[in-house]
Amino acid sequence: MSGVWCEAGWIRGRGVLQGVRLEVDEGGIVTRMRTGAQPEPADVRLSGVVFPAAANAHSHAFHRVLRGRTHDMGVGSFWSWREQMYKAAGALTPEVYEQLATAVFAEMVVAGFTSVAEFHYVHHRPDGTPYGPDSGGEHAMELALARAAVNARIRLTLLDTCYLAGGIGQPLAPEQARFGDADAQAWLTRLQSLRETVARKFGPDQVTVGAALHSVRGVPSEALPDIAEQLPADLPLHIHLSEQPAENQACQQATGMTPTALLHRHGLLTDRLSAVHATHLTEADIALLGRAHATIVMCPTTEADLADGIGPAAKLRDAGARIALGTDQHAVVDPWLEMRALEHGERLRSGQRGWFRPEDLHQSATDSGALSLGRKSAGFRPGSYADLMAVDPASVRTVGSRPDQLALTATAQDVTAVVVSGRLAARHGIHATLGDPARLLAAAIERVDAAGARAVGRHGEPSVSAADGVSA
């Protein structure tokens, strides 16, 4: 049994209380919480105001190499960004990806994320053939991500992604070949094998496997009934949904339905579904997602960076859906900025303030995200993971703020400490075991760049058209 003492702690429904002490068992689970307590000699001590750590409900780790590199002359679109994304994907090997993902996950941890849903589709070699025993076996890329998460001390839900088509009625393009499987049955078989492999190698509090459908354009509609019937009921299921108007138009033209209605028709619209982005929805779509009590994973800083639009977060919440948050392409890795951008999007749309209270924002960043990942929540309550982030309430950004309103003023720069399973994982932006994430990222990005240059030299520039699949 270990202990964590917080100078002050934000307790849902009770506000900020002084002297919060947690008792934590060997599995990292809170067994007892006391307030008005004094620290004990062996406790991890956290100053400032302590909050439950955040859950990142949508990540593509390799997209991190694109930050600050896709804004040439201030022009471009989702499609031109996507071409550069494919080049980055083409440079990855299991060894390179493990190094990059370790750095990206470390960046998340020091910012206050202690769990992540990795929406993973870089499964095979660039030519689409599986990795062999000489390269780590069929699941080499997936196991590289799992090792990276363990090294970075972040809880990973690895969302193995079904990606079968380059668009409705279109085959995968050459640069998408490594993402795909032969058909839905081949994906389901590989997914089961991956689950068994991960369960043998990692504890469930470290790494679990979930499922994802890339998008309604990446998975043909004729494959959806088999997936709905055969996908194990205990798996979280995620999908990119209506990120771009072109996706809706193509789906409507091919099926006579919106993407949301298509999922509903095939029995995939349930409370285990997490719909990522959900930016361009009809009123009927919103009602369907709400009645299903689906989770909507908003990625506000990515949606702003890619000019995707502002999703109807408040309408979805009011209809009965849960709102979670993700960092997607990692233009920003900061749970506080994602929380704030969720509220700001509604303000920009409506001209009014106060759509999401600070408590609602924390709910999206923690409990709703954990549910999306299929995990316990982080926080103070007995039975929760003892995963916490401490915030400086007197920085140049936060000074003067009411402690219960720090969600509207703090950033990751104000996170002074992060605790995972009751043990210190980071202080002042430095990872407890890996060191400075900036140094890790610099080395990893340099290696990806070098691998990408070699790949271009061998094969020439890849060609990608806006007619290929939609979501990244």
Side-chain angles (χ1 to χ4, degrees):
M1 191 74 67
S2 60
V4 179
W5 180 83
C6 309
E7 181 182 13
W10 179 85
I11 313 298
R12 188 177 312 284
R14 299 175 65 184
V16 177
L17 305 179
Q18 300 299 309
V20 180
R21 186 176 186 275
L22 305 180
E23 294 180 3
V24 183
D25 70 15
E26 292 182 357
I29 305 299
V30 177
T31 59
R32 186 186 182 196
M33 180 188 77
R34 291 187 293 129
T35 60
Q38 294 299 314
E40 297 188 8
D43 285 353
V44 174
R45 301 188 185 196
L46 301 177
S47 60
V49 183
V50 181
F51 294 84
N56 187 345
H58 190 66
S59 163
H60 300 290
F62 77 90
H63 290 189
R64 175 60 181 81
V65 301
L66 302 177
R67 185 190 295 177
R69 296 178 165 200
T70 62
H71 310 279
D72 295 358
M73 302 299 293
V75 300
S77 67
F78 174 89
W79 308 107
S80 57
W81 170 88
R82 191 165 172 266
E83 292 180 19
Q84 296 183 65
M85 181 272 289
Y86 281 135
K87 294 177 185 178
L92 299 177
T93 65
E95 186 180 9
V96 168
Y97 205 6
E98 182 172 347
Q99 181 179 354
L100 175 61
T102 299
V104 175
F105 292 154
E107 182 182 10
M108 291 182 195
V109 169
V110 303
F113 290 110
T114 60
S115 61
V116 60
E118 180 63 27
F119 199 108
H120 169 67
Y121 49 78
V122 189
H123 303 302
H124 310 301
R125 299 179 190 272
D127 65 359
T129 58
Y131 283 96
D134 59 327
S135 300
E138 178 186 18
H139 306 304
M141 294 297 270
E142 291 76 24
L143 294 177
L145 286 167
R147 290 189 298 269
V150 171
N151 288 338
R153 295 177 59 185
I154 197 167
R155 305 182 196 279
L156 173 66
T157 298
L158 182 59
L159 299 171
D160 194 86
T161 301
C162 182
Y163 200 148
L164 304 177
I168 294 176
Q170 299 178 26
L172 293 170
E175 53 274 3
Q176 297 170 315
R178 71 184 313 182
F179 308 159
D181 292 288
D183 52 30
Q185 193 59 56
W187 171 67
L188 287 163
T189 300
R190 187 176 56 75
L191 173 65
Q192 181 58 32
S193 173
L194 176 63
R195 294 184 73 194
E196 294 168 358
T197 301
V198 167
R200 286 196 305 269
K201 293 178 176 289
F202 302 95
D205 289 328
Q206 293 180 315
V207 183
T208 59
V209 174
L213 309 179
H214 180 266
S215 59
V216 298
R217 292 185 54 144
V219 180
S221 59
E222 56 267 26
L224 296 179
D226 287 342
I227 291 171
E229 180 181 354
Q230 297 182 50
L231 194 66
D234 60 329
L235 287 187
L237 177 64
H238 290 223
I239 186 170
H240 293 124
L241 187 72
S242 294
E243 181 179 5
Q244 290 282 318
E247 176 185 342
N248 293 346
Q249 294 161 7
C251 187
Q252 189 78 42
Q253 183 176 3
T255 69
M257 291 176 280
T258 65
T260 299
L262 183 64
L263 296 180
H264 176 65
R265 176 181 181 180
H266 292 294
L268 290 165
L269 204 62
T270 70
D271 61 359
R272 74 156 167 180
L273 182 72
S274 291
V276 181
H277 303 304
T279 306
H280 303 282
L281 301 177
T282 67
E283 293 298 325
D285 291 339
I286 293 169
L288 284 172
L289 289 160
R291 282 199 297 271
H293 301 297
T295 299
I296 310 301
V297 184
M298 299 289 188
C299 305
T301 62
T302 285
E303 289 144 11
D305 182 75
L306 296 180
D308 285 343
I310 301 171
K315 284 186 175 183
L316 285 159
R317 175 203 58 193
D318 294 345
R322 295 177 292 264
I323 307 298
L325 295 169
T327 62
D328 194 1
Q329 57 131 344
H330 316 308
V332 174
V333 174
D334 187 329
W336 300 88
L337 290 182
E338 299 295 347
M339 284 191 278
R340 191 134 71 248
L342 181 65
E343 166 65 14
H344 285 176
E346 292 300 319
R347 293 182 184 187
L348 290 168
R349 179 206 308 283
S350 67
Q352 296 180 341
R353 306 170 82 221
W355 292 91
F356 289 88
R357 301 169 302 167
E359 183 165 343
D360 300 329
L361 298 176
H362 286 292
Q363 174 78 23
S364 293
T366 56
D367 292 351
S368 294
L371 187 66
S372 176
L373 272 63
R375 292 197 174 275
K376 297 181 181 73
S377 294
F380 299 93
R381 297 187 299 268
S384 302
Y385 287 128
D387 291 3
L388 307 165
M389 55 176 165
V391 174
D392 180 0
S395 76
V396 70
R397 290 162 294 279
T398 61
V399 65
S401 302
R402 285 174 43 180
D404 60 350
Q405 293 189 20
L406 285 167
L408 279 306
T409 60
T411 72
Q413 289 177 280
D414 303 307
V415 174
T416 58
V418 178
V419 166
V420 178
S421 293
R423 297 185 297 126
L424 189 69
R427 274 203 189 277
H428 298 292
I430 303 299
H431 195 279
T433 55
L434 296 175
D436 185 357
R439 176 181 56 80
L440 301 175
L441 286 161
I445 292 169
E446 181 178 8
R447 191 171 182 187
V448 173
D449 287 346
R454 289 194 296 272
V456 169
R458 288 193 300 269
H459 306 298
E461 291 287 336
S463 175
V464 182
S465 75
D468 291 333
V470 178
S471 297

